[in-house]
Amino acid sequence: MCGAEVTSLPEGVQRVARALQAQGHPHAPVMLSDAARTAQQAADALGIAVGQIAKSIIFRRTADDAAVLVITSGDRRVDERKVDALVGKTGRADAEFVKRSTGYSIGGVSPLAHAQPPVTLIDRELFRFEEIWAAAGHPHGVFKLRPQDLERLTGAPVADVVQAPAGQ
C-alpha cells in the first residue's frame, strides 16, 4: 500500500495500516462497501464463516479503570467470569469509554494500534481457523491474518475466555 492510498483511508484505518506495516504484516486493511459492525455482517461481506471474524470486545476493569480487550471468535460469547478470573473484576464499557481508551468507535475496534495499550486476551477458539479477519479501526475496515499473527502483533496471551457452545 503506497502513502497516497493510506492517506485516503479514515484516520483509524490509517493507524492500523501503519501498525501492520511497521510489524511487517503482509495484509493491509481493506474497506468493505457496507458497514460490518457485527461479526455476522463482516462474515457475510467477506464470504467466510462467522467464527473467522476476530471480534474485539472492550471491558472496563473496575480496580483501575483500564480497558480490557478480549479478542474472540465471532461465533462465541465471552464468559465474563473467565475474563475476571484472569484480569480482575470487569464491567461493561460504554461507547464513550471505548472511544476514549481505544481511539475507535464500537463496531470498528481493531485488536491493535490503540490510543492507550489495553490489557488484552486472545480467545483460543480463534485457533480453529487457518485464516481470520479483524476490524481495522472503522466499521467498513477489516484486515486478514492468522491467529498466530494476532498473537505476534498484540503480544497477548491465548486463553479460554468464552462460554461453551450450546450443546457441549
Side-chain angles (χ1 to χ4, degrees):
M1 182 174 281
C2 75
E5 290 172 327
V6 170
T7 56
S8 67
L9 296 170
E11 190 279 327
V13 181
Q14 290 181 42
R15 208 165 10 132
V16 172
R18 285 190 300 269
L20 290 170
Q21 193 171 41
Q23 294 195 53
H25 188 69
H27 303 289
V30 297
M31 296 298 287
L32 302 173
S33 56
D34 294 320
R37 292 182 188 277
T38 69
Q40 189 64 61
Q41 289 171 335
D44 290 347
L46 293 164
I48 60 173
V50 71
Q52 289 178 267
I53 300 299
K55 296 188 297 189
S56 292
I57 313 276
I58 299 290
F59 295 94
R60 183 185 232 161
R61 187 161 56 191
T62 308
D64 59 2
D65 218 30
V68 176
L69 168 63
V70 179
I71 308 164
T72 186
S73 186
D75 62 351
R76 299 293 193 250
R77 293 184 56 84
V78 173
D79 185 329
E80 292 177 48
R81 292 178 312 239
K82 290 180 179 179
V83 173
D84 289 356
L86 294 169
V87 302
K89 180 75 177 133
T90 61
R92 294 276 177 204
D94 62 19
E96 188 269 326
F97 176 83
V98 171
K99 179 72 172 176
R100 184 179 71 243
S101 60
T102 68
Y104 306 117
S105 297
I106 292 174
V109 176
S110 173
L112 55 135
H114 287 238
Q116 302 164 27
V119 174
T120 304
L121 299 170
I122 299 170
D123 168 21
R124 69 181 184 188
E125 293 291 316
L126 284 165
F127 287 80
R128 294 175 292 155
F129 303 100
E130 180 70 26
E131 178 183 282
I132 58 175
W133 288 78
H138 185 276
H140 290 255
V142 293
F143 67 99
K144 181 168 66 171
L145 69 165
R146 298 170 309 141
Q148 298 83 352
D149 297 330
L150 188 58
E151 226 179 336
R152 180 181 59 80
L153 291 166
T154 64
V158 176
D160 174 9
V161 292
V162 297
Q163 299 172 5
Q168 288 190 5

